Amino acid sequence: DAKEKGRDNYQFFNASLNESMRVKMHLENGLRKAVHRQEFTLCYQPLIYLPTGRIIGTEALIRWEHPEFGNIPPSDFIPVAEDTGLIIPIGDWVIEEACRQNKVWQNEGHEKLSIAVNISVKQLEDPGFPDRIKKILASFDMDPSFLELEITEGMMQDFDSSIPNIKRLKDLGLKISIDDFGTGYSSLSYLKVLPIDTLKIDKSFLDDSLESFRGQALVKTIIDMGINLQFNVIAEGIEDRMQVEFLLSQGCLIGQGYFYSEPLSPTKCEEFFQKHLSPR
Ligand code: C2E
Ligand code: MG
Ligand code: MG
Ligand code: MG
């Protein structure tokens, strides 16, 4: 049927350049319609307070079920959305839906549950962005301190011009984290001036953290640096118990990863709450 054929088409991402250009144009057209057609959903990965194993929040991650191609991962379509400017309406939808869902969960008794949302630099640079977030927060009567926006370190080219934009967001009362920290090949000096709250250690550092002396030393050093700078430090990509023990021994208190849970549908997430109830 059409869907099966679509899955075959999707394989062309790995095929010739011409084919992948064709598929990219097809994607672009699809993206334009996807917001109205409600083809996007959000899944939520639990954020865990490592000393107790309790859930303290979630990270919203977008999913796209394309009518022909099937499930397309964000790493394939977010760059296209950024190139075309479509990331603005898509990003607005993500924040609105994530805040709506988090408020529902808060109202259901998880009062302190926080929500993290990934944003692109294009959104950060959009002058109308802070005002739209303000309206979204007000429409759900949501306490801004429960919303955290994640900006990927490597995507920020010009830190000086990012500072005023980040300040405008921080003035709303929400939190900012640097995602995939340590992969951006940038100078550390920006940590002196960027008004941020949280460092998320990129999962690639955890992959081999226990296998080599340098790998361990690097994770230790990043955690220490984050603590010394009085940032929250979050580890992403935790896949086993040994990594948890190591992180705890170094003072990293918050993490997420397949060891605790993969990203979940809202229903599955509610089941997770039942098992890992109550904050902290
Ligand atoms: P990210 O923000 O660093 O999100 C973490 C990614 O790692 C997610 O992939 C998640 O499913 C995956 N992950 C979680 N735990 C583990 C683990 O234990 N091991 C491994 N190997 N991976 C794990 P996903 O959902 O495919 O998202 C990929 C990236 O796409 C995200 O990286 C984020 O930068 C971007 N993205 C996702 N949703 C959005 C969105 O709504 N807006 C924007 N602008 N970007 C998004
Ligand atoms: Mg993230
Ligand atoms: Mg991210
Ligand atoms: Mg990340």
Side-chain angles (χ1 to χ4, degrees):
D1 64 19
K3 207 160 192 171
E4 264 174 50
K5 234 162 113 196
R7 291 236 161 76
D8 288 342
N9 286 348
Y10 182 60
Q11 297 306 313
F12 280 121
F13 272 112
N14 305 318
S16 71
L17 189 64
N18 274 344
E19 274 304 323
S20 69
M21 293 268 288
R22 203 177 60 79
V23 174
K24 195 185 163 204
M25 277 177 60
H26 211 88
L27 265 191
E28 209 178 298
N29 292 331
L31 273 180
R32 274 178 219 288
K33 299 171 193 145
V35 176
H36 311 288
R37 291 185 180 172
Q38 298 178 306
E39 290 165 4
F40 295 119
T41 53
L42 294 182
C43 58
Y44 301 85
Q45 186 173 40
L47 255 80
I48 304 295
Y49 186 66
L50 302 178
T52 59
R54 303 286 187 180
I55 182 170
I56 56 169
T58 66
E59 175 177 3
L61 294 157
I62 194 168
R63 296 292 176 262
W64 182 21
E65 182 72 24
H66 189 285
E68 288 171 62
F69 297 151
N71 213 319
I72 302 178
S75 53
D76 282 345
F77 71 83
I78 292 290
V80 180
E82 285 171 346
D83 287 350
T84 53
L86 289 166
I87 193 66
I88 299 297
I90 294 171
D92 283 356
W93 177 82
V94 170
I95 292 173
E96 180 157 13
E97 177 58 15
C99 289
R100 186 199 63 74
Q101 179 64 76
N102 200 63
K103 188 67 190 187
V104 167
W105 284 335
Q106 288 188 333
N107 287 343
E108 285 172 356
H110 312 289
E111 293 95 350
K112 302 279 187 215
L113 197 76
S114 64
I115 182 96
V117 175
N118 294 280
I119 63 162
S120 129
V121 170
K122 283 269 162 62
Q123 291 170 273
L124 184 65
E125 288 169 351
D126 170 14
F129 187 55
D131 269 351
R132 293 200 304 278
I133 293 196
K134 193 176 174 182
K135 286 204 185 98
I136 290 170
L137 289 166
S139 75
F140 296 117
D141 190 25
M142 179 166 162
D143 178 342
S145 66
F146 292 114
L147 175 63
E148 184 143 10
L149 299 181
E150 300 189 359
I151 310 167
T152 299
E153 186 200 19
M155 297 291 132
M156 261 189 295
Q157 301 295 337
D158 182 357
F159 291 106
D160 286 341
S161 72
S162 294
I163 294 171
N165 295 325
I166 295 179
K167 281 217 177 96
R168 273 191 282 277
L169 291 171
K170 287 234 49 173
D171 286 345
L172 299 175
L174 48 74
K175 299 204 171 81
I176 303 283
S177 63
I178 298 296
D179 204 355
D180 305 339
F181 179 74
T183 59
Y185 307 107
S186 50
S187 150
L188 288 176
S189 63
Y190 78 89
L191 293 177
K192 273 196 295 195
V193 287
L194 276 192
I196 55 172
D197 302 279
T198 304
L199 293 185
K200 289 189 88 168
I201 306 173
D202 189 69
K203 53 182 173 306
S204 63
F205 289 103
L206 229 57
D207 286 344
D208 61 354
S209 68
L210 298 173
E211 280 152 35
S212 76
F213 166 78
R214 284 195 186 177
Q216 278 198 23
L218 211 47
V219 174
K220 281 186 190 179
T221 305
I222 294 172
I223 294 170
D224 252 15
M225 187 186 68
I227 292 173
N228 290 338
L229 290 163
Q230 300 186 341
F231 297 139
N232 301 313
V233 180
I234 301 182
E236 57 175 28
I238 300 175
E239 293 183 357
D240 61 52
R241 159 73 48 199
M242 296 252 288
Q243 290 169 332
V244 178
E245 302 298 338
F246 179 70
L247 290 165
L248 278 172
S249 74
Q250 300 307 317
C252 176
L253 301 181
I254 303 173
Q256 63 189 100
Y258 298 157
F259 176 68
Y260 292 102
S261 171
E262 59 189 36
L264 302 169
S265 69
T267 311
K268 288 267 188 260
C269 206
E270 283 151 27
E271 285 167 21
F272 191 92
F273 294 155
Q274 298 318 310
K275 282 178 279 172
H276 304 84
L277 219 66
S278 102
R280 308 246 146 156

